[in-house]
Amino acid sequence: MRILGIDPGLRLTGYGVIDYKPLRPLLIDAGVIRLQEKTPIASRLVELETELIALFEEHQPDICAVEQLYAHYKHPRTAIMMGHARGVILLVAARRKVRTEEFAANRIKQSVVGHGHAGKSQVQKSIQLLWNLKEPPEPPDVADALAVALCCGRAEESKAGR
């Protein structure tokens, strides 16, 4: 099962593509879509859509996994910006008839690190160890996207085992 994990943002959107196999998930591709912060939001959304379409076409995922939207009362603007990016992601996936799965941040961290309040560096280190990478994925958005994909694969495996 090919999973495209995405860590949404309007400056950096991380992505990770894995072929999920229970004992040894295969890392296919990972990276980040960089959007210009000074560009109007509408233009960034169009650019994000274009980049995502290319990723979907190149990798042909079976599932698109995305972090659920959450809002912290101290940072409502962050949640709003993330919501814009998530909307584009969900739209691109739906237009390609790719099933989407959404996971809470603490569930993703629990699945990858072992506890739901892990920091970004812990997620990066866990991803580095899992795939024997020379360095932790940079920027952290890449590790987060791979963590979302891995969490999705494990959730699918759990569903199939019932």
Side-chain angles (χ1 to χ4, degrees):
M1 148 183 36
R2 179 150 296 178
I3 303 169
L4 170 59
I6 302 177
D7 180 43
L10 278 182
R11 195 173 64 77
L12 298 174
T13 292
Y15 66 88
V17 181
I18 66 172
D19 281 344
Y20 188 81
K21 297 176 180 169
L23 296 176
R24 191 70 180 147
L26 299 174
L27 174 57
I28 304 302
D29 189 17
V32 69
I33 299 168
R34 294 180 188 278
L35 304 170
Q36 296 302 313
E37 205 168 351
K38 301 209 185 290
T39 303
I41 290 174
S43 297
R44 283 186 271 168
L45 294 174
V46 169
E47 185 179 351
L48 179 59
E49 179 190 32
T50 301
E51 295 290 334
L52 289 169
I53 288 169
L55 279 174
F56 274 80
E57 287 176 0
E58 178 180 354
H59 295 294
Q60 300 292 310
D62 300 304
I63 302 173
C64 177
V66 186
E67 184 178 318
Q68 285 178 347
L69 186 60
Y70 68 93
H72 191 280
Y73 68 92
K74 289 183 180 178
H75 306 287
R77 181 167 159 65
T78 301
I80 291 167
M81 299 300 273
M82 186 178 170
H84 290 316
R86 277 177 37 85
V88 171
I89 294 162
L90 298 176
L91 175 69
V92 170
R95 284 190 173 155
R96 278 160 184 65
K97 298 183 179 14
V98 174
R99 177 169 56 111
T100 57
E101 294 291 338
E102 301 177 53
F103 299 93
N106 60 354
R107 181 173 177 190
I108 295 164
K109 293 174 185 178
Q110 173 71 36
S111 176
V112 175
V113 178
H115 60 93
H117 297 287
K120 287 201 172 281
S121 64
Q122 290 172 297
V123 173
Q124 286 175 285
K125 189 68 175 169
S126 292
I127 294 299
Q128 178 188 8
L129 291 172
L130 175 69
W131 279 296
N132 296 316
L133 304 174
K134 289 181 184 176
E135 300 288 328
E138 282 291 339
D141 310 77
V142 177
D144 291 346
L146 286 166
V148 174
L150 191 59
C151 177
C152 180
R154 290 176 174 165
E156 291 297 308
E157 178 184 3
S158 179
K159 280 194 250 179
R162 288 185 194 167

